[in-house]
C-alpha cells in the first residue's frame, strides 16, 4: 500500500468530481458492446476529461493513485461479462478482480511515467499514447495473451475509423484514441485556435481514411460471390455434455436434427456450411450412431433416393457391432456436405490415438471426398482448456475438469472454394495469429466460437467486435458460426452484412443464417508489417520523451548542484 503524507491524502486532493465520474461513465460504457454514442464520446473526450479532472492535484503520487483507481473502476464494468457463476463458479470473481487490478496498475504506471495531466504538452500526449500502446502489446506475453479491452475498441462504433486498423492494427487504434484525447485535453486547458484545429484533424482523419478506403474497395469490378450458411445451434453446455447435467443432455442425433431443420430454410445452392466450435459432442471418430438411424433420418428429410447416396460406412470410419454398422460424427458431417454439394466446416473434439493427445479441432469436409482436413486450436484458454501450472490440477478436478487439450502446432488454412483462414473462439482476438493465416493465403476468415460458458453477458458482442477488427486489419471478409451468438457475416471494411440475434437462456434463438456476399479483398499495410510498425513508433516516441526528460532533469540537477557549491564557496570565503 502506498503511504501518503497528510497533504497528499486522496480525498483531500484537488480532484474535480464531476469530470472524474463523467469520464468514468463514458469510458466504462463507451464500447460498441454497450452504447454506441458513448463509444464516440469516449474515443475523443473520455480520457481527456479524466486527465482534466486530476490536473490540479499537485502530488504526482496522488495523481497516479487516482489514475489506478479510475481505470480499475472502468475495467470492472468493461470486464463484467466475466462474472458468470453458473459455469465458472466463485473463483471467477478472484480472476476478475486480479485482471482489473492489473489493468488499473498499468494505468497508474502510465500516469506516473508521463504525467500528461500535469505536463499537458504535445510531446507528453504522444508519449502517453506510445507507452499505453506498449503496455497493451506486452499483455500478449502473459500465458496465452490477454487481448481483451484494448482502448481502441471504442473506435469500432463505426466501420470508418476502423480503417486505421488496416495500417496499424488494433493497437494503432488505441494509440490514435489516446493521442486524440491528449490533443482535446490541451484544447480544454488553453483555448488556442491551432490546438483546436489539431484535435479536429485527429478526430476526423480516421473517417476520411475510412471513406477513401470504402470507395476504393467498393469500386472493385465484378467480384465473385460466396454463398454461405452459418448455423447457430443455441445449445448450452449442459445440453451438450452429459457429465454436467444428465437430465438436460440432448442426444447427439437430436442435435443433428436441429442442424438439418435449420438448413431446410436456406437456399440449396451453397458454397459453405459452417457450424460452431464443438458443434456436437463425443468427438469426430466415436461410432455412436447406428447407420440405420442415419439412413432413416435421411429418408425423412431428403427422400429414399437421397438415403441411397449416403457415404459408404466402411470408408468413413464406421465399425460393425453385432453385424450392424455404427458411424461417427465425421460420417454424418460428410453426408451433409454430400447432400448439399457444399463444403462443411465444423468444430469437433479430436483425439489423436497415435499420439494419445486430445485437441479442440475444426474439420473441413468437401463433397464426395474421403479425406477431411483438420485444424487444431493453437491458442488455448488457461484453466478451461489447458492447465498452465501443475498445482491447478486439484482445483480443476474440483470443478469437474478431468481432461484438457493440447496446443495445435500452426495456424490453419482450409483449401476449398477459396482458402479459408481458421480460428477457434479466443484465437480470433489475437491480431498476429489471424495475420499469419492471411499471409498463408487466406481470402476469408472463418471463426467457430462457443460463448455459452458466459451466458447473458456482453462477451458475445465483445468477441464479435474483435473479429470485425481482424477482418479490417487484413482486408478480408469474416464469417462467424457460434453456438449462442453472435453469428454474422462481415465484409472486409467491417460492415455487418447479416447477423442472427443473440440467444439467451430465456430466449433461445437457433437457425441458419444465409448470406451471399461479394468476395472483396484488399492488401493492407498491417498484413505486411503486423504490430511491428506501431510498436516501433511507440517505442521511438516514448524513448525520445524519456531521453529528453532525463536530459532536462539531469541539467536541472547539475544547475542545482552548481548553485549549492557556489553558496558553499561564498560561505567559506565569508569565514576567511
Amino acid at each position: 500500500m502506498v503511504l501518503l503524507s497528510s497533504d497528499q491524502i486522496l480525498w483531500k486532493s484537488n480532484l474535480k468530481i464531476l469530470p472524474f465520474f463523467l469520464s468514468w461513465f463514458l469510458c466504462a460504457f463507451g464500447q460498441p458492446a454497450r452504447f454506441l454514442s458513448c463509444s464516440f464520446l469516449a474515443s475523443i473526450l473520455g480520457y481527456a476529461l479524466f486527465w482534466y479532472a486530476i490536473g490540479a492535484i499537485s502530488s504526482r503520487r496522488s495523481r497516479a493513485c487516482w489514475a489506478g483507481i479510475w481505470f480499475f473502476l472502468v475495467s470492472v464494468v468493461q470486464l463484467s461479462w466475466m462474472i458468470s457463476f453458473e459455469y465458472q463458479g466463485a473463483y471467477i470473481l478472484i480472476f476478475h478482480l486480479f485482471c482489473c487490478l492489473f489493468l488499473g496498475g498499468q494505468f497508474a504506471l502510465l500516469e506516473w511515467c508521463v504525467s500528461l495531466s500535469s505536463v499537458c504538452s504535445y510531446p507528453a500526449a504522444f508519449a502517453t499514447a506510445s507507452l499505453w500502446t506498449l503496455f497493451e502489446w506486452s499483455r500478449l506475453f502473459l500465458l496465452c495473451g490477454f487481448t481483451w479491452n484494448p482502448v481502441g475498441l471504442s473506435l469500432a462504433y463505426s466501420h470508418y475509423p476502423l480503417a486505421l486498423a488496416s495500417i496499424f492494427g488494433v493497437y494503432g487504434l488505441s494509440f490514435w484514441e489516446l493521442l486524440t484525447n491528449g490533443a482535446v485535453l490541451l484544447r480544454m486547458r488553453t483555448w488556442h485556435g491551432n490546438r483546436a484545429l489539431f484535435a479536429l484533424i485527429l478526430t476526423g482523419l480516421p473517417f476520411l481514411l475510412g471513406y477513401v478506403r470504402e470507395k476504393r474497395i467498393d469500386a472493385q469490378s465484378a467480384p465473385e460471390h460466396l454463398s454461405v450458411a452459418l448455423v447457430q445451434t443455441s445449445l448450452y453446455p449442459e445440453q451438450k455434455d452429459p457429465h454436467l447435467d444428465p437430465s438436460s443432455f440432448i442426444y447427439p442425433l437430436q442435435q443433428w436434427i436441429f442442424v438439418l431443420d435449420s438448413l431446410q430454410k436456406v437456399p440449396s445452392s451453397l458454397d459453405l456450411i459452417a457450424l460452431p466450435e464443438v458443434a456436437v459432442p463425443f468427438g469426430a471418430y466415436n461410432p455412436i450412431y447406428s447407420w440405420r438411424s442415419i439412413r432413416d433420418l435421411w429418408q425423412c428429410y431428403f427422400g429414399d433416393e437421397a438415403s441411397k447416396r449416403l457415404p459408404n460406412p466402411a470408408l468413413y470410419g464406421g465399425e460393425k457391432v453385432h453385424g450392424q454398422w455404427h458411424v461417427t460424427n465425421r460420417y454424418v458431417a460428410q453426408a451433409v456436405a454430400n447432400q448439399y454439394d457444399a463444403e462443411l466446416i465444423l468444430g469437433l473434439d479430436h483425439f489423436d490415438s497415435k499420439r494419445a493427445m486430445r485437441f479442440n479441432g475444426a474439420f473441413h469436409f468437401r463433397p464426395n471426398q474421403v479425406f477431411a482436413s483438420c485444424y487444431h486450436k493453437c491458442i488455448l484458454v488457461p484453466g478451461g482448456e489447458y492447465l498452465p501450472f501443475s498445482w491447478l490440477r486439484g482445483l480443476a478436478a474440483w470443478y469437474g475438469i478431468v481432461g484438457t487439450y493440447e496446443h495445435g502446432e500452426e495456424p490453419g488454412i482450409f483449401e476449398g472454394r477459396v482458402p479459408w483462414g481458421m480460428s477457434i473462439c479466443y484465437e480470433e482476438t489475437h491480431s498476429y495469429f489471424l495475420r499469419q493465416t492471411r499471409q498463408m493465403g487466406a481470402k476469408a476468415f472463418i471463426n467457430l466460437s462457443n460463448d455459452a460458458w458466459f451466458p447473458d453477458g456482453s462477451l458475445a458482442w465483445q468477441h464479435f467486435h474483435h473479429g470485425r477488427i481482424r477482418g479490417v486489419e487484413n482486408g478480408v471478409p469474416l464469417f462467424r458460426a457460434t453456438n449462442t451468438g453472435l453469428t454474422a457475416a462481415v465484409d472486409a471494411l467491417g460492415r455487418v452484412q447479416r447477423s442472427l440475434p443473440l440467444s439467451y437462456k430465456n430466449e433461445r434463438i437457433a437457425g441458419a443464417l444465409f448470406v451471399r456476399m461479394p468476395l472483396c479483398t484488399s492488401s493492407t499495410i498491417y498484413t505486411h508489417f503486423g504490430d511491428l510498425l506501431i510498436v516501433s513508433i511507440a517505442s521511438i516516441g516514448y524513448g525520445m520523451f524519456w531521453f529528453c526528460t532525463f536530459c532536462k532533469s539531469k541539467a536541472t540537477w547539475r544547475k542545482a548542484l552548481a548553485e549549492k557549491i557556489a553558496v558553499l564557496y561564498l560561505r567559506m570565503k565569508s569565514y576567511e
Side-chain angles (χ1 to χ4, degrees), residues 391-412:
W391 55 266
L392 288 173
R393 292 174 183 171
L395 179 64
W398 190 76
Y399 276 98
I401 301 175
V402 295
T404 57
Y405 293 116
E406 300 293 335
H407 292 270
E409 296 177 354
E410 60 182 4

Side-chain angles (χ1 to χ4, degrees), residues 426-445:
Y426 184 55
E427 291 178 327
E428 186 182 37
T429 67
H430 290 72
S431 300
Y432 73 90
F433 186 80
L434 271 296
R435 172 178 171 258
Q436 291 178 26
T437 66
R438 176 63 167 144
Q439 290 181 315
M440 293 166 64
K443 290 189 176 180
F445 288 160

Side-chain angles (χ1 to χ4, degrees), residues 214-324:
E214 180 182 60
K215 293 300 180 184
R216 183 174 65 85
I217 291 181
D218 285 346
Q220 291 183 6
S221 59
E224 56 182 323
H225 286 72
L226 294 175
S227 296
V228 179
L230 305 169
V231 178
Q232 180 168 297
T233 54
S234 190
L235 295 173
Y236 283 84
E238 66 272 16
Q239 296 174 308
K240 301 173 73 171
D241 188 344
H243 298 97
L244 295 178
D245 183 3
S247 63
S248 299
F249 178 66
I250 298 175
Y251 188 65
L253 185 61
Q254 183 62 48
Q255 297 186 31
W256 276 111
I257 291 174
F258 292 158
V259 172
L260 295 178
D261 283 340
S262 299
L263 292 175
Q264 291 292 300
K265 303 172 185 178
V266 301
S268 57
S269 179
L270 294 170
D271 295 313
L272 175 70
I273 301 169
L275 275 68
E277 176 188 15
V278 193
V280 285
F282 301 125
Y285 298 115
N286 289 320
I288 58 175
Y289 313 103
S290 70
W291 181 82
R292 288 183 177 181
S293 66
I294 303 300
R295 182 199 61 190
D296 293 343
L297 183 64
W298 246 246
Q299 287 176 344
C300 177
Y301 276 89
F302 308 110
D304 293 338
E305 291 299 320
S307 66
K308 295 177 181 178
R309 295 194 298 269
L310 283 170
N312 184 347
L315 297 178
Y316 293 91
E319 291 184 11
K320 274 193 173 183
V321 180
H322 303 299
Q324 301 294 327

Side-chain angles (χ1 to χ4, degrees), residues 413-459:
I413 290 283
F414 288 151
E415 295 293 341
R417 173 75 166 76
V418 298
W420 310 102
M422 289 305 305
S423 65
I424 299 177
C425 201
Y426 184 55
E427 291 178 327
E428 186 182 37
T429 67
H430 290 72
S431 300
Y432 73 90
F433 186 80
L434 271 296
R435 172 178 171 258
Q436 291 178 26
T437 66
R438 176 63 167 144
Q439 290 181 315
M440 293 166 64
K443 290 189 176 180
F445 288 160
I446 304 292
N447 177 256
L448 313 180
S449 289
N450 180 15
D451 291 331
W453 294 98
F454 295 87
D456 301 344
S458 64
L459 172 61

Side-chain angles (χ1 to χ4, degrees), residues 500-515:
L500 285 177
L502 288 178
S503 180
Y504 296 98
K505 280 280 189 175
N506 59 355
E507 186 182 359
R508 298 187 176 182
I509 299 176
L513 176 70
F514 172 74
V515 60

Side-chain angles (χ1 to χ4, degrees), residues 547-565:
F547 180 75
C548 292
T549 303
F550 174 76
C551 291
K552 184 178 179 180
S553 62
K554 191 174 182 179
T556 303
W557 177 79
R558 285 179 176 176
K559 182 178 179 181
L561 180 62
E563 290 176 352
K564 289 182 179 180
I565 293 175

